[in-house]
Amino acid sequence: MSGYKPLANVQKLLIDVVGELLPRDAALDQAAIRSVETAAEPPLIIDFSDFVVGVPAPKYRVNDAAAAAIQRIAIKRDYLEREARNRSLGHAGELLVMEFEARRLFDEGAKQLVDRIEHSSKVKGDGLGFDILSYDADGRERFIEVKTTSYDPETPFFVSSNEVGFSEEAVDQFHLYRLFNFRKSPRMFSLNGPIAASCLLDPVSYRATLLGS
């Protein structure tokens, strides 16, 4: 909740209560669904000077017990899953990052690299482990995975095993750009290197294949 500080001793209760209440209240449920499924357009940003912010500091430390509790309640994250499946929101976030990268390279004196920025997930398809191929000012490739939410910077997000694996292979070149408050006042922070080094990874789903006899 924007404007409220999370308290470690009540977070589990809050999640349990809200998780039970939303599906039972049709009006709240529909409002939540509209919030995460509404189509999005890339916002027009003239000045990117305050667009990038620091990585938010966790409000409280996630210990082993808290991590186990988070994993046990994964089934109640349907609304975040719906937002993650909102392709227009994801696409709008990627287009905004394309614009940001072009401005960044131009400002860093590497305008010759701007035309080489590639929307890889669109040109080559999903499954690469990143969405955008950009560059550092010295010409080194920068692999960018974009995760976009309409909510606060601490909002959990979903990553694939392929993205996690690629972040471990391209340690020095992988950047996860987390866009937040996207529909109101978009901001972004960056997580560089292996995703597992910055985030608690919660295995919320598995692909099941029948075993042969």
Side-chain angles (χ1 to χ4, degrees):
M1 279 187 171
S2 299
Y4 290 83
K5 294 182 179 181
L7 299 176
N9 61 322
V10 297
Q11 286 303 289
K12 178 62 167 60
L13 175 61
L14 177 62
I15 292 172
D16 283 343
V17 171
V18 174
E20 294 293 335
L21 175 62
L22 277 176
R24 294 181 182 179
D25 189 305
L28 283 176
D29 182 52
Q30 289 303 310
I33 291 175
R34 284 195 301 272
S35 175
V36 298
E37 293 187 343
T38 300
E41 295 288 339
L44 177 61
I45 298 181
I46 304 299
D47 183 5
F48 280 95
S49 59
D50 61 349
F51 178 65
V52 179
V53 301
V55 178
K59 299 297 192 305
Y60 60 92
R61 185 175 180 179
V62 179
N63 55 29
D64 291 341
I70 289 172
Q71 292 177 349
R72 285 196 300 272
I73 60 174
I75 195 171
K76 298 178 181 177
R77 292 181 181 165
D78 182 60
Y79 299 104
L80 292 184
E81 287 185 83
R82 284 173 179 261
E83 186 186 50
R85 293 196 300 266
N86 186 336
R87 297 187 66 86
S88 73
L89 178 64
H91 184 65
E94 291 169 12
L95 292 180
L96 181 58
V97 167
M98 293 276 289
E99 175 66 19
F100 167 75
E101 284 296 292
R103 301 275 190 95
R104 177 184 63 80
L105 286 171
F106 188 88
D107 291 343
E108 293 178 0
K111 59 183 179 181
Q112 74 279 4
L113 295 173
V114 170
D115 290 338
R116 294 174 59 186
I117 298 172
E118 177 186 82
H119 196 167
S120 303
S121 62
K122 181 178 180 180
V123 174
K124 297 179 179 177
D126 295 327
L128 297 172
F130 63 96
D131 296 312
I132 294 169
L133 171 62
S134 186
Y135 298 88
D136 293 337
D138 61 6
R140 185 173 65 161
E141 291 180 327
R142 175 181 292 204
F143 304 109
I144 302 171
E145 176 63 29
V146 183
K147 299 296 181 183
T148 305
T149 184
S150 299
Y151 306 112
D152 287 348
E154 298 88 357
T155 303
F157 55 92
F158 291 84
V159 293
S160 69
S161 59
N162 192 41
E163 292 160 358
V164 172
F166 185 77
S167 74
E168 295 170 349
E169 294 173 11
V171 173
D172 297 326
Q173 296 169 272
F174 183 86
H175 299 254
L176 190 151
Y177 284 7
R178 178 55 164 163
L179 275 63
F180 60 94
N181 292 340
F182 190 77
R183 298 181 190 273
K184 295 180 180 179
S185 179
R187 294 292 184 272
M188 182 189 88
F189 64 86
S190 177
L191 301 175
N192 306 334
I195 298 173
S198 304
C199 303
L200 169 67
L201 297 180
D202 174 7
V204 295
S205 64
Y206 297 89
R207 184 178 67 178
T209 302
L210 291 176
L211 294 173
S213 57

